[in-house]
Structures are given as C-alpha cells and as structure tokens.
Amino acid sequence: MDRSRIRNFCIIAHIDHGKSTLADRFLEITETVPRQKMADQYLDRMELERERGITIKAQAVRMEYAPAPGDAYRLNLIDTPGHVDFSYEVSRSLAACEGAILLVDAAQGVEAQTVGNAYLAVEAGLTLIPAVNKIDLPAADIEGTVMEVADLLGIDPGEVAGVSAKTGEGVEPLLRLVIERVPPPGGSIEKPLRALVFDSTYDVYRGVVAFVRVVEGSVARGTRILFMATGREAEVDEVGYFSPEMTSCEDLQAGEVGYVITGIKDVSLIKVGDTVTAKRNPAAEPLPGYREPKPMVFAGIYPADSDDFQELEDALHKLKLNDSALTFTRENSQALGFGFRCGFLGLLHLEIVQERLEREYGLNLVITAPNVVYEVVRRSGEVSHIHNPSEMPDMGTVQEVREPYVQATILVPPDYVGPVLELTKERRGLFQDMVYLSGRRVELRCRLPLAEMVIDFYDQLKSRSRGYASLDYEHIGFMPGDLVKLDILINGEPVDAFSTVVERGRAYEQGKRITQRLRELIPRQLFDVPVQAAVGSRVVARETIKARRKDVLAKCYGGDVTRKKKLLEKQKEGKKRMKMVGKVEIPQEAFISALRTSREDRGR
C-alpha cells in the first residue's frame, strides 16, 4: 500500500480511562474482528490482564478502514498500559508511532499519568489527538475536563474530541481525526533496511518472535539480517502483521508494523530497542532507541523447592523476552539457597512477575522483602552500588550512603491537600511546589526517597484522598541519607534474607517488629534462642524463644531437696553444652511466613 495511506498511532492514558474499550470499538468499526468473535478487552490476551482489568503488555493490531468507498487506509494501532510501573511499554510504543490519542476520563479529569504520558509523547515528537472519554456517564464533567486538557496541551478547547468508548458515540469521527491529523510515516523504501524491535515474544516451536516497526527499506522472507546491538546474523523464516492474530505476508516495507521470525531460540540474542538491518547492504548507524527501562525495586526470588532452580532460571529467561524491564542475576542465600536477585519497575511489576511465574510455569516461590539499590561511598573514595542489603559493607568503612530519589507529581482535589502533604512529610519527602490547575485539581510536586514509595505509598495516597489522588514519578538520581544496615541475628548468627537498609531513627521500630514476628514463627528448641536486631555491633531490639524443657523432677517425689538440685544442675549443664554446639534450623514455612509478614508490616 502507498505509504501516504498508512497511519501508525497508539492510545495513551491514565490507568482505567478506557484505552482497551476504545480499541475494541476501533476493531468493530473497521471489522478487523468478526462480531461473533468479539469480546471485551479483546487485545488484552493475558489472563491476569482480564482479571485485574488493566493492560500490562502493549498490543499491536493492523486495521483496514475506508471512510468513503475507494478511499482505503491502513491503520496500525498500539494499545498501551496506563499504570506508572509500565511506562516503559508506553515509551516503546511511542518509538513506533507518528501520532497518539490522549484519552481522558470525563468523570475523573486529567490525572498524573495523563500528564506524564502527554510529556512523553511531546518529547517523542508525536502528533497528539486529545479526546475526552465516558461522556455518557451521569457524573461526567465534560466541559471542565475539556478545559483541563486544553490547558495541559495549550490548545483551543474545540480541538478536544468527545467520545464514549462503551456506547461507540463519537468513536468513528475520532478515527477520521487520526487519518486527518496524524502524518503518514517517513523513510524511503530505497534506503538500506532499518527496523526497530519494539517488543518480542517467545514461541516454543519457532523461537523468538520480534515485533518490528520498519523505518527504512524492506524485509522479506529469506532476507539475511543482522541485529546491530548483539551482532547476531539470521535468516528470516517468516514476516507478517497482526490482524490481531499473527498473519504472514510477503514483506514489510518502510512505515509498516509487523513481526519477524528468524528461528533464534536464545532469548538474549534479540534485545528490545535493537535495530534490524540487512547483512548484504547494512545501514551505517542504528536507530535511536526508546528510553531504556531502569529497575527501581529489587527483591530476591527463590524456589520453595531447591530442585526447581533450573526451571526458575528458564522461566525468568522466557519471561524477560516478554518483559524487557525485568533484570535478574544469580545469588546465593545461606538461608534460602540458590535463587535470583531481580529488578522491577515497581511493586505492581513485582506482583505481576510473581503471578506469571507461578501460573504460567507452575513454580512455588519465596520472595524476599523488596528493597532499592543504594550507592555507597567508602572512605577510600570508591563508589559501589548495593542491590542486596546483605552486601552492605561494614559501616566503619563507609563515608556516605546515598539512596535513590524520585520526582513525584501528585494530582489531588483541594479538600485532600492537607492529608497528602502530611503523608509526604511522614515519608521524608521534600515539598517543592503546589499549583492550582483548576477549581477541582491541585498539582503537588515533591522529592521522595524511592525506598519510602515502593512499599505502600500509592495505597496510602489513595486511602487518604478517598481514591481521588493520582501519582506519577520519575527517577532523578541519588541523594545522601542517614541510613544503616539492620541485621537480624538468630542465636548469634546473621540471617541474610532478613537484612534491610533503614533510616537510623526507624531502626528500633523495624527491628522490634521483625524480632517479635520471628519469635512467634520459629519453633522452640531445647535451649533458649535469642532473636536480635542489630545495627553494626549494637543490638537495638531482642526477643527470646524460650527453651522446650523436659520435666526432670517428675520422678522425684519426696526425698531430700539436694537430689532435685543435682538433677536441675545436670540439666543446666546439658543445656549450656547444647547451646554451644546446637544450630537453629528455621523451617521453610517460617521463612515464607516471616518474609510475607515483614512486607505487609512495612506496608502499614
């Protein structure tokens, strides 16, 4: 098809503003999916996405649409996630498009992720088409929301479209607006092949399926290609497009979106963001990739049964292909055995990865408490990054510990500004600015330690604002803090799985909570077991698991008291000797329960 008839666009919005429903209406209008096969959230293929009602993976689909007889257009749509944890999926989608529909819920108004996604699209140089959704709701404030969107983008309110993705009202005019306003793709078919890998998946039989946007040149079956980042060569077995099922075709030309299958089975050889070029006539330089995702939260993932370690490693490799933001390295814990230290974009990302590993690969897992990466400056001047609290060096050798901070943007109704400011103060936030966007929306900007956000900040924010507040954040670097490593010692031996990095002023509170919980969970031994929380050599909290005692006096009835004392002294000596040579075996169930509880407790 002539490239002037192609339009590549995506839908961006805050979570739950109706992106997937709008995509459903587009599929119906263009008759891409037969009516008998149509289902709600059609593009959300994952069971988890349907259960939670959120989009996790961006989905591409090619639609053929003719606004008038003989006037056909090819529309490539990418439906994107809305949660802040998955903004890396949005950045990938933007790299493959020329335009974006910015969708805003008429009942909720402009929210934090709306602002964040709009800025991302503007930075990527995309044409924005603003639209207000859910205009059919009785609670919809259409006029107020239109004014908010117009103020955000600096445009005339008349340029904002009104739609109801549920009923279909205004959806077809919006599709025509896409054709009118979004420019056709650039790039010449005569130039050497350059295609951006913006996503990928794994097929058990055919290997890695790379989702590509062809920017220049063309790629066909049998073409010998080169992945520029990894230097891997391969022959193309199949090319095709999504309609929305994978449909093979002869070739993909400049401006088109589709997939390439090469038969490569090693998932690490095809990186998302890489540039595909032809081996025979290669491009001079790769395409500028989208923004690389940076892990924000780290946690240890261990198999509950150590025999499943290899299955867990294989599952993580396959999952990483679908989720390029997931990072993992092997690690060994004295308490939990062999496992992986994994990096995530946030707590929701961690939950999704855990659920996918357990459901899709049938694994039983132990997840340690989430933590962030710290920057440690030693007295020698050496700077190192600590991903696991157990790696923290002795505090006597440390000059400074820096923790990651985020720039948070919170949108909240004026009535709830007080409770939200109080929450940011509790979480060691640095308040910066407050702007009244309209009579019903205030924008708060502050800097927060990431460690204070990853546990339950979002939940607390929703709770204190009765669900009205919304949050967007971005990583801004490391800042120094008064931080210490909190070790948990059981019978004098540190247990690395329970180590955490905390603010010095909260070490006692955190240590007391963990020691009390462990005292309840660890079975009683034949000798007293001290459970201590220590900062360096100083114990800040302690609990004792009392010994299980045998009643040695049961056989002594009557007689001289010295006989009883002799038996008690003998027992005392035995206990003392047992304590010196005895080891406390912590059952796996106690570990799992303690780690889950510590995560819940930190969330309070």
Side-chain angles (χ1 to χ4, degrees), residues 355-383:
E355 283 198 47
R356 289 188 69 185
L357 286 170
E358 290 175 343
R359 287 189 189 193
E360 296 174 24
Y361 302 97
L363 294 166
N364 190 12
L365 304 172
V366 180
I367 313 288
T368 65
N371 63 278
V372 299
V373 61
Y374 294 93
E375 201 171 73
V376 175
V377 183
R378 298 174 192 261
R379 295 194 187 279
S380 61
E382 182 192 345
V383 178

Side-chain angles (χ1 to χ4, degrees), residues 417-427 464:
V417 168
V420 170
L421 286 176
E422 190 181 327
L423 174 64
T424 58
K425 188 177 177 183
E426 286 172 14
R427 299 306 174 89
R464 297 194 191 195

Side-chain angles (χ1 to χ4, degrees), residues 389-437:
S390 62
E391 299 169 0
M392 186 71 78
D394 182 75
M395 297 310 287
T397 66
V398 173
Q399 179 182 322
E400 188 177 67
V401 180
R402 299 174 188 151
E403 60 181 328
Y405 268 70
V406 295
Q407 179 72 56
T409 303
I410 301 168
L411 267 65
V412 62
D415 295 353
Y416 303 105
V417 168
V420 170
L421 286 176
E422 190 181 327
L423 174 64
T424 58
K425 188 177 177 183
E426 286 172 14
R427 299 306 174 89
R428 301 188 284 132
L430 306 171
F431 174 73
Q432 290 176 300
D433 193 17
M434 182 164 69
V435 179
Y436 279 80
L437 299 178

Side-chain angles (χ1 to χ4, degrees), residues 14 110-113 115 407-413 416-417 419-425 429 431 433-435 437 441-448 453 457-458 461-462 465 468-473:
H14 190 85
V110 170
E111 299 204 54
Q113 198 62 23
V115 179
Q407 179 72 56
T409 303
I410 301 168
L411 267 65
V412 62
Y416 303 105
V417 168
V420 170
L421 286 176
E422 190 181 327
L423 174 64
T424 58
K425 188 177 177 183
F431 174 73
D433 193 17
M434 182 164 69
V435 179
L437 299 178
R441 197 72 88 242
V442 179
E443 180 183 272
L444 302 174
R445 289 171 63 80
C446 60
R447 289 183 174 184
L448 282 162
M453 285 192 63
F457 184 83
Y458 188 70
L461 182 66
K462 286 290 185 186
S465 64
Y468 287 110
S470 60
L471 170 73
D472 186 34
Y473 61 86

Side-chain angles (χ1 to χ4, degrees), residues 224-235 262-271 274-279:
R224 192 78 186 165
I225 60 171
L226 173 71
F227 292 93
M228 296 181 81
T230 58
R232 176 66 186 237
E233 294 178 27
E235 187 172 308
T262 56
I264 293 175
K265 297 280 187 179
D266 185 349
V267 297
S268 64
L269 294 174
I270 298 180
K271 295 183 181 295
D274 197 354
T275 299
V276 178
T277 189
K279 170 66 177 163

